[in-house]
Structures are given as structure tokens and as C-alpha cells.
Amino acid sequence: MDQRTITLKTVLHEIQEAGTVFSLKFRKLDGSISFKGQVKKNPSKATVPADKSGQKKDLHSIRRNMNQAGALLLYDCEKRQTFEVKIELLVAYNGYKIFHNY
């Protein structure tokens, strides 16, 4: 592994640190590449979506569903909106190529 590579495990750990702002490059489901310069994990004050019954889900169940789906719910600081990215489609973190060590 060269100097400009970071493991997926390290990336996921660093993303969880409160207040961490980072850049992220990832592949979208359509195959195109996207780059976001200022991202952080989704703040807990974010609007909690309602389920099919119209009741709001608690944050714990949302996190559990995201982990089971293999996705991260993140916040774009520049556009001030949340977005979802599949973990397996992450390409780079703070300029470091992500090594997906399975």
C-alpha cells in the first residue's frame, strides 16, 4: 500500500468522529464520479424521515438500517443537504485512495 492510500476501516472510523469535516469522492449508482469538498456525518438534529405509517423513525433504527444497507447518510456542508452514499462505492477520502480490504 502506498502513502496515498487509506483503508476503508480507517475511513469509516474517522467519519464517525464528531465534527470531522472531510472531502469525499465516490461513484454514483449510474457509474459517474462525484466529489464533495466539505462533508461530515449527518448531524443528529437532521429531520428524521417518517416511515410508511407516517410515524417518525428514531435515529437508532435509521443508523441500523443504513448499516444493513451498506450505506452512509452524510451532510454536504456546501449545499447544506443530506445525501446517501454506498460504502462499496467510496473512491477517495481527503485525497487518499480508499483501499477496500475485505
Side-chain angles (χ1 to χ4, degrees):
M1 218 175 347
D2 66 24
Q3 290 178 301
R4 302 294 300 163
T5 305
I6 189 168
T7 64
L8 179 62
K9 181 178 178 180
T10 302
V11 170
L12 295 176
H13 176 73
E14 288 186 12
I15 286 172
Q16 296 306 315
E17 296 294 320
T20 301
V21 177
F22 51 92
S23 67
L24 198 62
K25 184 190 234 182
F26 57 94
R27 206 170 4 272
K28 294 181 179 180
L29 293 176
D30 66 7
S32 64
I33 296 288
S34 183
F35 175 81
K36 298 207 182 265
Q38 293 185 342
V39 178
K40 62 184 176 180
K41 77 176 187 174
N42 190 30
S44 59
K45 293 180 183 177
T47 305
V48 179
D51 62 15
K52 291 178 183 176
S53 68
Q55 295 180 344
K56 290 189 174 189
K57 296 180 182 178
D58 64 274
L59 285 174
H60 177 73
S61 66
I62 291 171
R63 285 190 189 109
R64 186 177 62 245
N65 291 344
M66 294 295 285
N67 287 337
Q68 289 173 350
L72 297 170
L73 186 61
L74 301 171
Y75 181 76
D76 183 336
C77 300
E78 294 168 347
K79 292 186 177 178
R80 296 185 174 189
Q81 63 187 25
T82 58
F83 68 101
E84 182 179 313
V85 62
K86 294 282 189 184
I87 292 170
E88 73 247 16
L89 300 180
L90 296 175
V91 175
Y93 170 82
N94 286 338
Y96 290 87
K97 182 179 177 187
I98 298 172
F99 175 65
H100 289 262
N101 50 335
Y102 295 104

